[in-house]
Amino acid sequence: MNVADWLEVVAQAVSALLAVWLGLTVATRSSLPVARVFTFLALVVATWSSSIILQRLTMSLDVKAVGRSIEDLAAALAIGGLAHFALVVATDGHPSRRQLGMIVAGYATLLAFALPTILHFETSIAFTPPHFSLGPIPGAVLFWGWVAARLAAIALGAGWLLRAMRARALGPLRRRQLRAALATILLAGFGASLRFLPVIGDADR
């Protein structure tokens, strides 16, 4: 491995450890819905970081494939989890059935796009060939659908938080909570886009 690979391993290790610590700390101190979703999201991020470390350190192609499957699964759950976390914060733990249905649909869509990698198909969804195609649907179209699904989940979460911030009679504590959640969603979304947008980095593909 070169220096860049080792730096990524160290960065992902720090991220994984921090995510586990934060997740378990919140889980042991609160049983509120927002705490449960945050813990889930933190542990998923830790799993995602660990899968990247596995891929960088192993020389086995089979192990790399397993790591890649875990990475795509965790990435789908993490991005869906961002929207889920934003919804729970925006609704103060009381989302409507329609909103919960949108979260379920979001998770399902993101996981569906990850299936070619999770199930070890010969090709996965990617910007450049060889990439997975579905019948008459070209691989490039599926790739941009995959990008759109991820961006839509992030935008949906941010939208719910912005809508909640427009409510009247918000107390200062509630307003700070919403602002912190929005900053988290935007920063996490920006970081994720650095990996999956081909015009920026395309590290995921």
Side-chain angles (χ1 to χ4, degrees):
M1 294 197 308
N2 56 34
V3 174
D5 289 332
W6 280 112
L7 288 174
E8 183 178 24
V9 166
V10 172
Q12 295 295 350
V14 172
S15 176
L17 291 172
L18 182 60
V20 169
W21 176 72
L22 285 173
L24 294 180
T25 298
V26 171
T28 56
R29 293 186 179 182
S30 176
S31 60
L32 293 174
V34 66
R36 293 195 295 269
V37 176
F38 179 84
T39 298
F40 166 76
L41 182 57
L43 295 180
V44 166
V45 169
T47 302
W48 175 80
S49 292
S50 299
S51 71
I52 294 177
I53 295 172
L54 177 65
Q55 293 175 73
R56 297 296 180 268
L57 295 181
T58 186
M59 298 297 291
S60 169
L61 294 179
D62 290 338
V63 175
K64 284 183 181 292
V66 172
R68 184 62 181 163
S69 295
I70 296 173
E71 180 188 353
D72 264 31
L73 173 62
L77 292 175
I79 293 176
L82 281 176
H84 195 178
F85 174 71
L87 173 62
V88 175
V89 173
T91 60
D92 204 14
H94 299 90
S96 67
R97 289 187 177 182
R98 177 175 174 273
Q99 289 171 323
L100 286 175
M102 294 173 71
I103 288 297
V104 171
Y107 276 122
T109 301
L110 292 164
L111 287 171
F113 277 113
L115 279 180
T117 303
I118 295 172
L119 299 180
H120 299 290
F121 288 3
E122 292 183 2
T123 54
S124 59
I125 294 177
F127 181 55
T128 55
H131 45 203
F132 178 76
S133 59
L134 186 63
I137 305 176
V141 172
L142 286 175
F143 171 80
W144 286 112
W146 173 79
V147 169
R150 290 184 165 200
L151 292 177
I154 296 167
L156 186 63
W160 276 326
L161 291 168
L162 288 170
R163 181 179 179 182
M165 291 173 67
R166 291 199 298 267
R168 295 182 178 179
L170 279 181
L173 179 61
R174 175 63 172 160
R175 189 174 297 278
R176 286 197 297 270
Q177 181 189 47
L178 291 170
R179 286 176 176 172
L182 180 60
T184 299
I185 298 301
L186 293 179
L187 287 173
F190 175 74
S193 68
L194 292 177
R195 294 191 65 88
F196 67 75
L197 284 177
V199 295
I200 298 177
D202 196 22
D204 273 359
R205 290 294 182 270

